[in-house]
Amino acid sequence: MTHPRPEHNYMSSLPPSGSGCPYGQAKRLTVSNEDMREGPERLYQAIRQQYGPVVPIHLDPEGSTHGTPAWLVIGYNELRHVCQNETLFRRDSRHWRELVEGRVPADWLLLPQVKWRDNTRFADSPHHGPRRRALQEALKRVDLAQTQRLVASYADRLIDQFVKAGSVEVIAAYAGPLPLQILASIFGLREPTEQERLLGAIHRMLAGGQQAQQADQEIAAILQGLVRDRRQRPQADLASWLIEAAPGLGDAAVREELWLMLTAGAGATTYWVVNALHQLLTDTRLRNEFNSARLTLDAVMRATLWNAPPAENVMGAFARQDTRLGGHHIKAGDMLVLSLGGANHDPALGSARDGYTASNDSHLAFGAGTHRCPDSAQDLGELIASQAIGRLWQRCPAMALADPDQPLSWGPAIVVRALTALPVQFIPSDPGARQGSVPSAFGVPSWPSQSTSSQTTSPHPPSSWPSPGPSTASTPSPTTSRRRGGHSSASGRSSLWHSLIRWRRGR
């Protein structure tokens, strides 16, 4: 982690400790992209002491004089309350008062993250339910067992490009392209040139820099062409299945749903992989327990969702009416930024949180309430991420940071907590010999597969991690935990993959 620069220090703008300033009268704190680079953990800890679970902020990624007012929700219970209370909070950003009254510049760098789109993320009841069900129906048709083999094939192809060198920058060479290639293929975008264009555009947009809006337009254009083609010539891919599941949706609406799944899925999966690898490479206890089979890959991935979720802050929810939250008066039309990372580190969860990080899915990395990421999408993301991590760890043994004495650099983005690079070294080996072809997720030949000596396996047997600690008033509710095993056999999902999930969870 880098050290804060003297000319940019959010600590200097905090009210004096012990000033007794009531939450309702607290001065807005300017939070910028650079604050995220310096480390959100320190930021959350400092502002929680001064402001409580809800923080009045100015979003100010460019260091302008006034910034854009919002509320940063860093309390676990407060965030759940916002997500689960549709009567008080909506997701349709067209009701954001700052936008309605013309105070948001057209070139605001964070606008692509908050501007209204015709998709489920920005839909309120009664429109949200039917759209979400259509997404779920389309996602259920993805064969996870076939996709598992597809991930292994893509992963091996990428690993073969650097395994002999004994070193690699993981994000650019592996964790960045792999999820995008898999998802693009599932969506129906199977040309390498299309995938390369999407990869660059998605990460430029998520970074929130000067090119964010142009990148957003590039993604929309690619997806628009896909929808237009599949409307005329349906194929065995997610775009065609979504068109079939939602016959009343026009091309623009289908495009926006695909935009949501692709950008959220590719970005989140990439940083899930990267953040999990970062924890394994920098946490000696975690790495030792993983390597000695006392900790499963599933537990490592769950700990990552608690400690370093790929989506740091989600923008946003919007108050339907005047209300109070976390000791503050929230006005109708105010925007709330949902800090998934901040809520997961809420001290109100108590000491039992340490047990939850390895054995409980009640983290908020996937949100909460009716807008929580659907289970079918979580399953797909988990499959890609777990296979990506397991494959890399297996084929690149003794992996370590390339230069442990050199601090890693984090990107400046409010939305995602992401390293700019993760250089590693490992024991080199020869690229795997190829034998035959592996079917893609759609039953058609892909490129040649890995050798039989590196077949996909779960790297470790089930763990015996301790169960969560005693229940407290602040304990995550079971309703937030992810439900598994309730999918219909008619969903097209493979019993093989669900058996693997149950095995890894010790069920």
Side-chain angles (χ1 to χ4, degrees):
M1 180 179 297
T2 57
H3 296 288
R5 295 183 299 277
E7 70 273 17
H8 187 90
N9 189 351
Y10 59 80
M11 298 293 291
S12 63
S13 60
L14 288 172
S17 177
S19 62
C21 178
Y23 292 159
Q25 301 176 19
K27 178 183 177 182
R28 288 192 180 274
L29 175 69
T30 296
V31 177
S32 74
N33 275 341
E34 288 300 322
D35 293 330
M36 294 297 107
R37 185 201 295 274
E38 303 299 352
E41 299 90 348
R42 296 191 309 116
L43 173 65
Y44 299 144
Q45 181 180 10
I47 64 179
R48 200 187 306 272
Q49 294 173 356
Q50 300 295 337
Y51 293 92
V54 179
V55 184
I57 65 170
H58 276 125
L59 288 168
D60 182 33
E62 285 299 287
S64 61
T65 303
H66 301 293
T68 302
W71 299 91
L72 184 66
V73 184
I74 58 176
Y76 183 95
N77 290 328
E78 287 74 16
L79 195 147
R80 286 186 57 211
H81 174 69
V82 172
C83 292
Q84 296 174 347
N85 197 324
E86 295 183 87
T87 303
L88 293 177
F89 304 99
R90 55 163 48 104
R91 294 303 180 96
D92 190 333
S93 60
R94 292 173 296 182
H95 299 278
W96 181 23
R97 190 177 60 256
E98 295 298 311
L99 189 64
V100 170
E101 297 179 0
R103 289 190 290 274
V104 179
D107 60 350
W108 188 46
L109 300 187
L110 293 175
L111 191 58
Q113 299 294 334
V114 72
K115 73 176 182 180
W116 181 84
R117 294 177 180 271
D118 189 8
N119 62 37
T120 54
R121 178 188 166 188
F122 295 98
D124 295 317
S125 297
H127 308 291
H128 176 261
R131 299 284 285 268
R132 181 182 174 91
R133 286 191 291 273
L135 290 182
Q136 291 172 320
E137 286 302 312
L139 285 165
K140 285 179 182 178
R141 296 182 66 173
V142 178
D143 188 317
L144 295 185
Q146 292 278 25
T147 303
Q148 182 181 9
R149 291 191 284 271
L150 183 65
V151 176
S153 182
Y154 270 93
D156 277 332
R157 191 185 193 212
L158 291 171
I159 293 171
D160 279 350
Q161 296 175 16
F162 56 76
V163 69
K164 194 171 184 177
S167 63
V168 70
E169 196 286 284
V170 170
I171 300 175
Y174 187 73
L178 179 58
L180 190 279
Q181 288 174 343
I182 299 299
L183 291 175
S185 182
I186 291 173
F187 276 45
L189 295 166
R190 298 165 191 165
E191 292 295 327
T193 54
E194 292 177 321
Q195 295 178 2
E196 289 174 6
R197 287 178 60 199
L198 273 176
L199 176 63
I202 287 173
H203 291 294
R204 289 201 310 275
M205 190 197 71
L206 291 176
Q210 294 287 348
Q211 298 181 345
Q213 295 199 37
Q214 179 182 350
D216 182 34
Q217 295 168 4
E218 291 177 28
I219 298 168
I222 294 171
L223 295 177
Q224 183 68 34
L226 174 65
V227 173
R228 190 184 307 115
D229 179 78
R230 293 306 190 266
R231 184 79 72 177
Q232 300 297 324
R233 292 179 291 276
Q235 298 185 26
D237 55 40
L238 194 58
S240 301
W241 296 333
L242 181 57
I243 291 171
E244 181 182 341
L249 288 185
D251 286 2
V254 174
R255 179 199 70 209
E256 290 300 326
E257 295 293 1
L258 292 175
W259 176 94
L260 173 63
M261 288 191 287
L262 184 63
T263 55
T269 306
T270 286
Y271 296 120
W272 194 359
V273 171
V274 173
N275 292 352
L277 288 171
H278 175 254
Q279 288 199 112
L280 284 171
L281 294 169
T282 57
D283 187 328
T284 302
R285 182 197 65 83
L286 190 73
R287 182 173 62 255
N288 289 342
E289 294 200 348
F290 178 61
N291 285 335
S292 63
R294 294 195 303 272
L295 191 65
T296 63
L297 177 57
D298 178 70
V300 172
M301 293 175 63
R302 181 183 288 107
T304 302
L305 293 176
W306 274 99
N307 298 325
E312 187 71 30
N313 296 294
V314 175
M315 305 167 52
F318 308 90
R320 290 180 180 269
Q321 62 194 52
D322 289 4
T323 187
R324 291 194 67 80
L325 181 71
H328 295 281
H329 177 64
I330 311 296
K331 295 183 179 180
D334 281 0
M335 179 170 73
L336 295 93
V337 177
L338 307 178
S339 181
L340 309 181
N344 277 351
H345 285 88
D346 191 343
L349 293 173
S351 59
R353 179 190 176 279
D354 291 339
Y356 294 140
T357 60
S359 59
N360 189 286
D361 280 318
S362 54
H363 55 76
L364 296 175
F366 296 122
T370 59
H371 281 266
R372 179 177 170 85
C373 180
D375 281 358
S376 50
Q378 293 182 44
D379 285 347
L380 182 58
E382 179 180 4
L383 185 156
I384 297 171
S386 64
Q387 291 294 303
I389 298 168
R391 205 72 171 171
L392 186 68
W393 205 259
Q394 177 190 43
R395 293 199 57 196
C396 302
M399 185 180 297
L401 292 176
D403 187 353
D405 297 326
Q406 180 66 32
L408 296 171
S409 174
W410 296 89
I414 290 174
V415 177
V416 294
R417 175 68 172 155
L419 286 166
T420 58
L422 184 59
V424 301
Q425 59 187 7
F426 50 86
I427 299 173
S429 60
D430 291 329
R434 302 292 173 168
Q435 293 184 359
S437 62
V438 167
S440 75
F442 316 100
V444 297
S446 182
W447 42 69
S449 173
Q450 68 285 348
S451 66
T452 55
S453 63
S454 59
Q455 292 296 313
T456 303
T457 59
S458 181
H460 297 293
S463 71
S464 56
W465 261 77
S467 61
S471 174
T472 68
S474 299
T475 295
S477 166
T479 59
T480 312
S481 298
R482 187 171 165 197
R483 294 181 176 88
R484 294 186 181 274
H487 301 292
S488 168
S489 60
S491 66
R493 291 162 167 269
S494 166
S495 60
L496 173 63
W497 173 249
H498 287 293
S499 296
L500 180 61
I501 287 178
R502 289 192 295 272
W503 178 81
R504 286 171 53 204
R505 280 165 165 64
R507 296 180 184 177

